[in-house]
Amino acid sequence: MNKRGFVNTYWPFIFVAIPIILQLVFFFYPLVNGIIYSLTDWTGLTRNYNFIGLDNYLKIFQDGAFYQSLGFTILFTIGLVVGEIVIGVWIATLLNRKIRAVGFFRTWYFFPAVLSTVTIGLIFSQLFNYGLPQIGELLKIDWLSSNLLFQKGTVFLSVLFVALWQGLAMPVVILLAGLQSIPEEVKEAAAIDGASKSQQFFQIELPFLLPSISMVFILAMKSGLTAFDLIYALTSGGPDGATKSLGLLVYDNAFTNNQFGYANALAVVLFVIIAVISIVQISLSRRYEV
């Protein structure tokens, strides 16, 4: 077989082989290595380590910091999912109306997605540290006169606010595309039949938006469960671990405490949690479609 005949016969397999090789090198190989290291006492400083079996996993479920981090991650994910869906649908509905300068507003709402997450975290960190306290002192508002990121009662909502400020950009685009895919004839027919705006939304627009909402749900859930860079830039997990996500807990154990074996075990547990939630979500979506 000549060279041209070989390429014509096997070129589809060549294109498929490239992503498979990349997956093996950059996903499955680190995954297997991480599982192996989770069974050791490796410090990450030397090549020497001892296999200790499931000791790291037993230590996780006896670690109070893990449960505190898990609780914050779950609440943060729920807040992100609900916020991106509810606020995203509201903003997308507003941007779908025929108003003046609608193109400007659509571009403006997407602006936060262009900025780096760390940059946003550092900007809002300065805002919470210097800007808002001065406004609070000027207006004589006691709870706003100090840094909201240093108070346990306000730090969660503050971090969630910043995450939603950036995270809403892509959901708005997705939901707006879903709204614009609704045939105008359907909405016009409903209006002629006397359907109110709320009836049109719940009976026509919302069912059309379900695939878009499902996509936003997946993206928001992934962002919440793997949250790291924004929280690190804002609070570094403080105060007293109140905003320490599972990703940040893995980072601290690996690069601060030099417990790479334990950090890998935490990463494996986080991987299992994400996998289980993803499987449940996919199963529910398929059942709903059927």
Side-chain angles (χ1 to χ4, degrees), residues 99-149:
I99 57 176
R100 296 181 63 181
V102 66
F104 168 78
F105 289 113
R106 290 176 181 175
T107 304
W108 181 254
Y109 273 110
F110 190 74
F111 174 73
V114 180
L115 298 177
S116 165
T117 303
V118 175
T119 301
I120 291 176
L122 294 176
I123 292 173
F124 273 93
S125 178
Q126 296 300 311
L127 180 62
F128 280 116
N129 196 30
Y130 299 106
L132 292 181
Q134 292 183 3
I135 295 175
E137 292 176 0
L138 182 65
L139 300 178
K140 306 299 182 181
I141 303 176
D142 293 335
W143 62 270
L144 195 60
S145 299
S146 58
N147 193 332
L148 299 179
L149 297 177

Side-chain angles (χ1 to χ4, degrees), residues 41-43 46-50:
D41 60 356
W42 186 40
T43 62
T46 66
R47 296 185 178 181
N48 301 321
Y49 54 82
N50 301 308

Side-chain angles (χ1 to χ4, degrees), residues 26-278:
F26 294 105
F27 178 75
F28 289 104
Y29 177 72
L31 176 62
V32 173
N33 261 354
I35 294 174
I36 293 174
Y37 285 132
S38 71
L39 303 175
T40 69
D41 60 356
W42 186 40
T43 62
L45 301 177
T46 66
R47 296 185 178 181
N48 301 321
Y49 54 82
N50 301 308
F51 282 94
I52 58 175
L54 299 177
D55 287 358
N56 284 328
Y57 293 95
L58 296 176
K59 181 181 176 181
I60 288 175
F61 296 105
Q62 298 172 356
D63 188 358
F66 168 74
Y67 290 105
Q68 182 182 16
S69 179
L70 180 63
F72 167 77
T73 302
I74 292 174
L75 290 177
F76 182 73
T77 302
I78 293 174
L80 208 58
V81 169
V82 174
E84 288 191 7
I85 291 176
V86 175
I87 302 177
V89 170
W90 177 62
I91 295 176
T93 303
L94 293 178
L95 294 178
N96 193 43
R97 296 178 179 177
K98 296 179 181 180
I99 57 176
R100 296 181 63 181
V102 66
F104 168 78
F105 289 113
R106 290 176 181 175
T107 304
W108 181 254
Y109 273 110
F110 190 74
F111 174 73
V114 180
L115 298 177
S116 165
T117 303
V118 175
T119 301
I120 291 176
L122 294 176
I123 292 173
F124 273 93
S125 178
Q126 296 300 311
L127 180 62
F128 280 116
N129 196 30
Y130 299 106
L132 292 181
Q134 292 183 3
I135 295 175
E137 292 176 0
L138 182 65
L139 300 178
K140 306 299 182 181
I141 303 176
D142 293 335
W143 62 270
L144 195 60
S145 299
S146 58
N147 193 332
L148 299 179
L149 297 177
F150 292 166
Q151 305 175 41
K152 280 191 173 182
T154 58
V155 64
F156 176 81
L157 293 178
S158 301
V159 172
L160 182 61
F161 169 79
V162 180
L164 286 173
W165 185 83
Q166 183 192 30
L168 276 169
M170 190 57 66
V172 167
V173 172
I174 296 172
L175 293 167
L176 181 59
L179 287 173
Q180 293 180 342
S181 68
I182 303 174
E184 288 294 331
E185 296 80 4
V186 177
K187 293 190 288 186
E188 290 174 359
I192 293 174
D193 289 339
S196 63
K197 290 292 184 181
S198 61
Q199 289 175 329
Q200 291 181 38
F201 174 76
F202 287 106
Q203 300 298 327
I204 298 175
E205 294 180 354
L206 193 58
F208 272 95
L209 279 178
L210 287 180
S212 300
I213 291 175
S214 178
M215 186 180 300
V216 171
F217 174 86
I218 295 172
L219 293 175
M221 183 187 68
K222 177 258 181 188
S223 298
L225 292 176
T226 60
F228 171 76
D229 45 2
L230 179 65
I231 297 174
Y232 185 80
L234 281 173
T235 65
S236 297
D240 297 328
T243 59
K244 182 169 289 187
S245 64
L246 287 176
L248 195 56
L249 185 65
V250 172
Y251 174 86
D252 284 345
N253 278 281
F255 298 102
T256 303
N257 302 330
N258 295 322
Q259 298 178 349
F260 271 75
Y262 183 64
N264 274 282
L266 285 169
V268 171
V269 171
L270 177 58
F271 172 79
V272 172
I273 292 174
I274 295 175
V276 170
I277 294 176
S278 300

